[in-house]
Amino acid sequence: MSRQTPKKRSQHQPTYSWMRRLQEHVVPVGLERTLSEAAIRSAFAGLHTMGLIDVDLGRERFPVKVCRDQRYSDNIHSGAVDIYRPQGARPRAAILYIHGGGFRIGSKDSHWPMPWILARHGYVVFAIDYRLAPEHPYPAALEDARAARVWMHDHRRELSIEGLPWVVAGESSGANVALALGVAHLQPFHERWARSLSEEYPAPTAIIPTCGYLQVSDPQRFERRRDLPAFVTDKLYEASEAYLRTVDPETHPLVDPLVVLETMTSAQRVMPAFFTAVGTADPLLDDTRRLERAAQRLGARTSAHYFKGEFHSFHAFPWRASSRAYWQELLGFLEQVLKRADASRHPDQRSSSRSRRVGSTSTNSKRSPSEFEKATT
């Protein structure tokens, strides 16, 4: 696999990095995690009590049973997982869900609404914790995600997911981890954590990276594209520096899964379907646009959505119209993809796509990539 050389990280720190140094002095990363975790959990608990999380998306909903703090392991790495299981129906698929948080904060507990909504609509979801940067830079998060994926496969009978398609999903930095894990199933890679995945384990039926930070080696690109508030830009640098530390993307290409996908000429296995979404006010917007183009070029069934004026991780607030639209589109996408998977053991997921704007979407037709059209609604 050829890989284009990514732009080198700047040797010059942003002039506003003093804000981060001040923050780290006043609020060390451990305290930041504790405070942010408590704030997010408290906010979501209050919103759930008010009925703002469990919204009607026009589909059948099931009671959800959560088995918390189970252990996953591949006999090398291990972590905690919450299993969200719909009651009263056989799950449609098993979803491995990877939370966001700039690679530095967040947990399965703080990001519970996303796996809960998926389970509420008929999917068994494995929401994992993984080691966080900067104490545990790349590839620690992916080593843990791989361990969870291997554990799900090896224990599929005990977990009652044998025969189910599997899907990997995540948001923000978790979208990076989810995409890298999915791509590692498509062809061999030399990185230790990725070895044997493409030879020994089934590829995911779908990959769902939402609002993803999909190339961390070049945070300068955000400044080149447009002016951003200093605080936002510094947070992007902070996430990149915490995750990369001394890692060279040339020898560890999956740190930038988007670049890997862009430089792939073909995959050795059937391409998964891709669902991705982002708000047009999200500084990470271009990563999703690039992902859509790369997936389409490789012939993947692709559904890409651009929500006008929406901010980062807008989908986490399901009482809002744009978030409801996101979840409705995602659930519809999963239903279509899984029907195709049921119809054939080797479903034809070669795609073509058209995009609609508003909560806009790219859904695939049977046209060739050169015939893709953009239509606005």
Side-chain angles (χ1 to χ4, degrees):
M1 179 191 68
S2 63
R3 175 183 168 87
Q4 297 173 348
T5 302
K7 292 182 173 62
K8 296 296 184 181
R9 283 174 280 167
S10 173
Q11 299 302 312
H12 302 286
Q13 294 296 315
T15 57
Y16 38 80
S17 62
W18 65 268
M19 293 189 301
R20 189 192 317 160
R21 294 196 299 271
L22 177 62
Q23 173 193 308
E24 291 171 350
H25 179 73
V26 176
V27 185
V29 64
L31 180 57
E32 180 187 2
R33 287 178 189 147
T34 300
L35 294 175
S36 61
E37 176 96 7
I40 295 171
R41 291 179 66 179
S42 176
F44 279 135
L47 293 167
H48 190 45
T49 300
M50 296 167 63
L52 296 178
I53 301 294
D54 188 17
V55 297
D56 185 359
L57 298 175
R59 287 174 169 79
E60 184 178 6
R61 289 178 285 180
F62 302 92
V64 177
K65 180 180 180 181
V66 185
C67 296
R68 301 191 185 279
D69 296 320
Q70 306 300 298
R71 299 299 298 178
Y72 68 81
S73 175
D74 64 353
N75 297 320
I76 301 174
H77 302 286
S78 63
V81 56
D82 290 346
I83 305 173
Y84 294 72
R85 197 177 296 274
Q87 302 297 292
R90 175 170 168 76
R92 298 184 175 102
I95 300 178
L96 174 59
Y97 198 89
I98 303 169
H99 71 80
F103 304 106
R104 301 172 62 258
I105 62 175
S107 71
K108 62 181 177 56
D109 298 318
S110 62
H111 288 65
W112 66 264
M114 282 67 83
W116 187 85
I117 291 171
L118 288 165
R120 192 84 163 98
H121 292 87
Y123 300 91
V124 55
V125 185
F126 297 81
I128 64 167
D129 273 342
Y130 54 88
R131 287 170 292 164
L132 298 173
E135 301 94 324
H136 303 285
Y138 180 92
L142 273 158
E143 289 172 340
D144 293 350
R146 175 211 163 92
R149 188 275 176 276
V150 169
W151 172 79
M152 287 170 59
H153 178 79
D154 291 348
H155 296 272
R156 58 194 181 277
R157 186 168 298 176
E158 303 97 292
L159 294 169
S160 300
I161 59 173
E162 189 169 29
L164 292 180
W166 83 281
V167 173
V168 61
E171 84 279 327
S172 192
S173 57
N176 180 302
V177 177
L179 181 60
L181 181 66
V183 168
H185 284 77
L186 302 183
Q187 62 186 39
F189 288 89
H190 295 302
E191 295 188 62
R192 181 176 297 177
W193 71 265
R195 290 175 190 167
S196 80
L197 284 177
S198 64
E199 295 91 351
E200 298 180 13
Y201 298 92
T205 298
I207 302 175
I208 306 172
T210 299
C211 303
Y213 191 4
L214 306 178
Q215 180 188 352
V216 297
S217 66
D218 183 24
Q220 298 93 337
R221 70 188 188 278
F222 300 108
E223 295 177 292
R224 291 192 296 267
R225 177 178 176 270
R226 59 177 173 170
D227 290 333
L228 293 172
F231 176 79
V232 172
T233 308
D234 192 57
K235 284 298 179 185
L236 294 170
Y237 274 87
E238 181 179 46
S240 174
E241 292 166 8
Y243 192 53
L244 283 171
R245 298 289 287 276
T246 60
V247 167
D248 181 359
E250 284 296 301
T251 55
H252 297 81
L254 287 166
V255 76
D256 287 332
L258 174 58
V259 177
V260 171
L261 206 65
E262 288 175 325
T263 56
M264 285 175 62
T265 56
S266 63
Q268 295 185 5
R269 311 179 83 173
V270 174
M271 285 293 292
F274 284 81
F275 180 98
T276 185
V278 69
T280 60
D282 191 329
L284 300 175
L285 170 63
D286 280 355
D287 282 16
T288 293
R289 287 173 170 160
R290 290 167 58 192
L291 173 61
E292 178 187 9
R293 292 192 296 268
Q296 289 174 349
R297 181 181 57 80
L298 291 168
R301 178 180 174 84
T302 308
S303 184
H305 303 253
Y306 303 90
F307 289 84
K308 186 175 180 180
E310 287 299 338
F311 48 83
H312 188 61
S313 296
F314 69 94
H315 66 299
F317 308 98
W319 65 92
R320 301 180 69 246
S322 57
S323 180
R324 289 199 303 274
Y326 165 89
W327 287 106
Q328 288 167 338
E329 293 285 0
L330 174 56
L331 294 171
F333 163 83
L334 284 171
E335 289 170 3
Q336 293 177 9
V337 167
L338 295 174
K339 283 179 182 178
R340 287 182 173 228
D342 286 342
S344 172
R345 290 189 178 185
H346 303 286
D348 180 8
Q349 293 180 337
R350 289 172 298 178
S351 106
S352 21
S353 173
R354 59 185 175 81
S355 283
R356 298 195 308 260
R357 299 283 171 191
V358 183
S360 94
T361 169
S362 296
T363 26
N364 289 332
S365 66
K366 291 293 182 182
R367 292 173 289 172
S368 67
S370 63
E371 296 173 311
F372 296 145
E373 298 172 352
K374 299 288 183 182
T376 302
T377 60

